[in-house]
Amino acid sequence: MEEQVNPITLTFDEKIDVLPPKNTLIFKLLQDLPLKKEENILEIGPADTEHLSYLLQKAKNITYTGTYFSDAGIKNVFSAYKTDGNNVEFAKITDNELDLQDNSFDWCFTADTIYFWPDPLKYLSESYRVLKSGGKMNLAFVEKNFGAHLPWTQLDFTFYETDEVKSLFKQSGFVNIEVRKMTETITDQNRKEITRPFVIVSGQKK
């Protein structure tokens, strides 16, 4: 792993309104996280900030770390985000590795990202490494039998079945692996609302 990169801590004075959770994959994943005060939370590959105000109000004094691939990318995604005394940190992914200390986080989660991971086993193994003993990883995704046939997923997507993801969790060292099947409401390319099934696989570090 390359030299440790210190996360950037951002704090802001202006408070933003906390909107109620939406009926979407990322919000449903977060609704199920029983966060406690002063816990450290890691998200792999956040695409936007829509869910952060909801996440940060779930428990007091939690620290959120989001991973990124390039400085430009993270600045574009998070430049408009504001908190009120919460810690929001960023850490870089380099060669499929997280520039983060071992045993640092209470929770790790990721939503709709596994399709783009060049090495899913490596990503899950890295997640396991940075979790504390007893910490949990929660991964939400759309299964192959549904996602692979969508017109906008024909390029650059690799879909998986639930059993494949469970196997990756086991190979990474996770125990107490659980599977939850849920649905979300999304807007398709024709601006019509559709119900899409998805799966949350979770595992615990020994």
Side-chain angles (χ1 to χ4, degrees):
M1 181 179 296
E2 295 186 358
E3 183 179 353
Q4 183 79 19
V5 177
N6 292 327
I8 308 166
T9 302
L10 301 184
T11 58
F12 299 85
D13 294 329
E14 183 179 347
K15 185 176 181 180
I16 60 174
D17 293 330
V18 177
L19 299 176
K22 295 185 177 182
N23 188 31
T24 58
L25 182 151
I26 182 63
F27 280 96
K28 287 195 169 184
L29 185 157
L30 295 179
Q31 281 179 285
D32 284 347
L33 293 185
L35 302 183
K36 300 177 181 178
K37 65 179 182 179
E38 299 179 354
E39 288 189 317
N40 293 325
I41 318 300
L42 172 66
E43 180 179 8
I44 296 178
D48 56 48
T49 62
E50 184 182 33
H51 59 291
L52 287 190
S53 59
Y54 174 71
L55 169 65
L56 292 170
Q57 59 87 38
K58 284 179 65 69
K60 293 182 178 180
N61 300 322
I62 62 176
T63 296
Y64 167 91
T65 299
T67 59
Y68 67 99
F69 294 96
S70 69
D71 293 338
I74 202 67
K75 288 177 181 177
N76 290 337
V77 170
F78 287 89
S79 60
Y81 187 72
K82 298 177 176 64
T83 81
D84 182 22
N86 291 299
N87 288 331
V88 178
E89 303 177 342
F90 308 113
K92 196 169 186 178
I93 298 176
T94 305
D95 297 328
N96 303 329
E97 295 181 338
L98 301 174
D99 289 339
L100 296 165
Q101 296 288 346
D102 296 356
N103 309 309
S104 300
F105 294 92
D106 301 284
W107 296 91
C108 178
F109 72 92
T110 188
D112 274 336
T113 59
I114 190 173
Y115 331 117
F116 312 109
W117 292 354
D119 187 345
L121 181 58
K122 180 66 175 178
Y123 273 63
L124 284 171
S125 297
E126 281 289 279
S127 302
Y128 187 93
R129 177 182 66 79
V130 301
L131 280 169
K132 300 175 183 177
S133 178
K136 288 188 175 181
M137 169 66 168
N138 293 263
L139 187 155
F141 68 104
V142 174
E143 285 188 291
K144 183 177 182 179
N145 59 3
F146 183 87
H149 304 294
L150 297 174
W152 60 86
T153 62
Q154 299 306 303
L155 297 174
D156 301 325
F157 282 75
T158 300
F159 286 94
Y160 301 88
E161 301 292 356
T162 298
D163 286 344
E164 292 179 286
V165 177
K166 286 176 62 180
S167 177
L168 290 169
F169 267 70
K170 291 178 182 177
Q171 292 177 62
S172 303
F174 287 102
V175 297
N176 301 327
I177 298 169
E178 298 179 351
V179 174
R180 284 165 288 169
K181 295 191 175 183
M182 308 178 76
T183 60
E184 67 170 340
T185 302
I186 62 171
T187 303
D188 66 13
Q189 291 180 318
N190 298 317
R191 297 185 178 180
K192 293 182 179 179
E193 287 192 348
I194 60 173
T195 299
R196 182 175 74 163
F198 70 93
V199 177
I200 297 177
V201 177
S202 62
Q204 187 173 32
K205 183 172 181 177
K206 295 179 182 178

